[in-house]
Amino acid sequence: MKFNTKTIHGGQENTDPAYGSVMPPIYQTSTYSQSTPGGHKGFEYSRSANPTRSALEKSLASLENGNFGLAFGSGLAAIDAVLKLFKPGDEIISTNDLYGGTYRLFTKIFEGLGIKFHFVGMQNADRIEEYINKNTKLIWVETPTNPMMNIIDIEAVSRVAKKHELLLAVDNTFATPYLQQPLELGADIIMHSATKYLGGHSDIVMGGLVVKDKELADKLYFIQNASGAICGPMDSFLVLRGIKTLHLRMQRHCENGEAVAMFLRANPKIDKVYWPGFEDHPNHDIVKKQMSGFGGMISFTTKENTLQSATSIVEKLKVFTLAESLGGVESLAGHPASMTHASIPKDEREKIGVVDSLIRLSVGVEDEEDLIADLKQAIG
Ligand SMILES: *Cc1c(COP(=O)(O)O)cnc(C)c1O
C-alpha cells in the first residue's frame, strides 16, 4: 500500500466486526463484559486497550512503516514513556535545539531522577561520539528542529547509534510521515505530538510512538499501561479522522510554506528566514536526501532585531492567529522567546538563535494570497 492509501486504510481492516461501520466506532467505555473470569474478546479495561485507540495505534504504525503504535494523552506523555525505559545513571544524548517542553521534561523531571543528558548540536553526526560512554543508552533527535529549522542527518546519527548499540528516537512531529520516515533511515522509536499535523485541526492534545521491534514495543506497552498516560476514545477517533487527510493537507502546507518563505526572504524589513527549502540552507543536501518536501514551518527575524518589532508584527496579523502550537489547518504565528521557548533560559536560547525578534509561523492551508497580504500589512 502506498502512503496516500495508507492514510485512509492503513491498519483499518475490520475495525467494526459488529456492524461493519466504515469509520471505527467510538468505544466510549472503560470496561468490557466477560463471559467467565478472564473470558473476554481482547479488551478488559480501557487503560490497557480500547478498540478505538487500537485502531489509531494501527494507523500510526502503518503510516510510519512500523509494526507497533502506542497512543498517549499528549506528545510529552509519549516522551515520558520513552524516558521511563531508563534508570538512574543512564545517559542520553539529545539535540540541543529542542522543543521547549521536551527540554523541560528532560532537565526538570528526568535529570532529577538521575538520568544525565548531553545537549549536542548534531548537524555534524561525528560530534555525538565525543559524548558516548558505557552509560549512554539513547540518542534523541528532533528534525527539523523547532524553531530554528536545523536539519539532522538521521541516517548518519543511526550509524553512530548502531555502532555503539544505542537506541535512536526521532521526534517526527514537524515533518510527519508524509515528508520523512525515520524508521526507514535506521531510527528505533518515532515520537509524535499528534496534537499538531496528525490531528491537524487544533482540536485535541495527543502523543504517539511507533516502533518496529517487538521487545521494545512490549516494554513501552508495559509503561503505557502501568503509568496510564493514555488518550480517550473520542480523541483517538478525531486523530484517525485527521490522518485521513494528512497527505492532502501536507501538500498544501508545503505549497503555502514555500510561497511565504519566498515572500519573507524578499522583504527588506526581514533579516533571516529559516526554512529548509532554501538551496542555501546549511543542511539542504540532507533535506533533499531524507525529506520529500519542506513543510509549512518557517521562522524569521526582523532587520530591526528588537522584541518590539516582533511584537508589533504578531499583534497586527489578522489571518494568522497569535497562538502556541502548530500543524493545524489554520495559520498560526508564535513568538518562541516569550511563548513556546520561555522555559529555556535566555542565554541558552540565544545561543541557538532564539532571539527576541524571532517569529515562528505555522503556515496553514488557506489561500496563499490572503496569507501573504496579511504578512505584508503586518510587517508594514
Ligand atoms: C508540541 C510538540 C511536542 C509536545 O507535544 P504535546 O502534544 O504538546 O505534549 C513535542 N515535540 C514537538 C516538536 C512539538 O512540536
Side-chain angles (χ1 to χ4, degrees):
M1 221 186 263
K2 292 181 71 180
F3 187 81
N4 297 346
T5 311
K6 277 190 192 172
T7 64
I8 296 160
H9 300 290
Q12 300 308 297
E13 308 80 29
N14 199 26
T15 49
D16 177 24
Y19 301 110
S21 75
V22 169
M23 279 303 286
I26 303 164
Y27 285 94
Q28 195 72 47
T29 186
S30 61
T31 190
Y32 306 81
S33 71
Q34 307 196 1
S35 53
T36 178
H40 55 76
K41 296 177 174 163
F43 296 93
E44 300 163 86
Y45 184 61
S46 283
R47 170 162 34 69
S48 312
N50 170 285
T52 318
R53 194 176 89 221
S54 298
L56 169 67
E57 292 175 332
K58 287 187 184 133
S59 166
L60 293 175
S62 161
L63 289 180
E64 290 284 8
N65 285 328
N67 296 320
F68 305 94
L70 300 105
F72 295 84
S74 69
L76 285 175
I79 303 175
D80 181 85
V82 173
L83 272 283
K84 284 175 176 162
L85 292 168
F86 308 105
K87 54 183 193 319
D90 287 348
E91 299 192 12
I92 292 171
I93 302 173
S94 164
T95 328
N96 62 351
D97 171 11
L98 201 60
Y99 175 73
T102 307
Y103 180 81
R104 182 177 57 197
L105 178 65
F106 286 177
T107 55
K108 297 281 197 278
I109 307 272
F110 284 98
E111 221 160 64
L113 297 174
I115 293 175
K116 186 167 175 189
F117 292 88
H118 303 273
F119 295 97
V120 180
M122 294 189 186
Q123 282 90 313
N124 176 357
D126 296 339
R127 281 203 57 210
I128 300 170
E129 288 202 284
E130 292 168 36
Y131 298 87
I132 297 177
N133 62 44
K134 64 178 188 344
N135 297 322
T136 312
K137 295 286 154 58
L138 172 78
I139 302 178
W140 185 273
V141 165
E142 200 179 300
T143 181
T145 67
N146 175 22
M148 301 312 297
M149 310 307 295
N150 289 315
I151 301 292
I152 291 157
D153 185 341
I154 298 171
E155 214 167 12
V157 176
S158 95
R159 277 197 295 275
V160 176
K162 291 205 163 46
K163 180 173 159 196
H164 297 274
E165 294 180 20
L166 310 176
L167 287 174
L168 170 61
V170 175
D171 181 338
N172 206 27
T173 301
F174 266 40
T176 81
Y178 179 80
L179 298 178
Q180 171 173 287
Q181 306 222 312
L183 290 180
E184 299 299 297
L185 301 169
D188 302 290
I189 303 173
I190 305 291
M191 177 263 151
H192 274 286
S193 170
T195 314
K196 317 294 168 52
Y197 287 106
L198 296 185
H201 296 75
S202 306
D203 50 9
I204 49 93
V205 173
M206 191 189 288
L209 299 176
V210 179
V211 302
K212 275 191 168 164
D213 180 66
K214 170 87 168 64
E215 202 181 316
L216 183 57
D218 286 346
K219 284 184 194 164
L220 289 167
Y221 172 71
F222 178 84
I223 295 167
Q224 184 194 39
N225 184 43
S227 283
I230 47 115
C231 53
M234 183 69 205
D235 285 0
S236 301
F237 173 85
L238 285 170
V239 173
L240 266 167
R241 176 201 243 253
I243 285 172
K244 284 179 192 285
T245 56
L246 177 66
H247 53 307
L248 303 173
R249 289 183 285 108
M250 287 311 291
Q251 191 182 344
R252 180 64 74 86
H253 283 299
C254 289
E255 288 165 11
N256 283 355
E258 175 161 0
V260 167
M262 294 303 175
F263 163 77
L264 290 170
R265 177 164 256 200
N267 190 299
K269 293 203 173 153
I270 300 308
D271 186 17
K272 298 195 175 72
V273 183
Y274 302 97
W275 178 65
F278 291 131
E279 296 213 350
D280 57 359
H281 182 287
N283 315 111
H284 191 68
D285 53 330
I286 302 162
V287 175
K288 286 213 301 225
K289 189 178 75 165
Q290 75 185 17
M291 296 176 76
S292 58
F294 310 123
M297 297 303 299
I298 301 166
S299 298
F300 65 97
T301 61
T302 62
K303 279 249 166 72
E304 211 179 286
N305 200 23
T306 56
L307 174 63
Q308 166 55 32
S309 62
T311 312
S312 154
I313 292 172
V314 294
E315 284 176 357
K316 283 189 195 133
L317 287 167
K318 294 193 177 75
V319 181
F320 282 83
T321 303
L322 175 60
E324 299 216 2
S325 200
L326 62 108
V329 287
E330 65 289 295
S331 291
L332 301 180
H335 183 249
S338 60
M339 296 166 68
T340 46
H341 289 60
S343 56
I344 304 179
K346 189 176 162 79
D347 50 332
E348 286 291 315
R349 173 157 59 70
E350 295 202 332
K351 256 190 256 167
I352 58 168
V354 183
V355 296
D356 283 347
S357 85
L358 189 81
I359 294 172
R360 189 190 75 180
L361 300 179
S362 170
V363 180
V365 300
E366 301 94 334
D367 278 308
E368 170 191 316
E369 293 79 1
D370 290 328
L371 298 178
I372 288 178
D374 192 33
L375 286 163
K376 206 181 249 171
Q377 63 80 21
I379 293 166

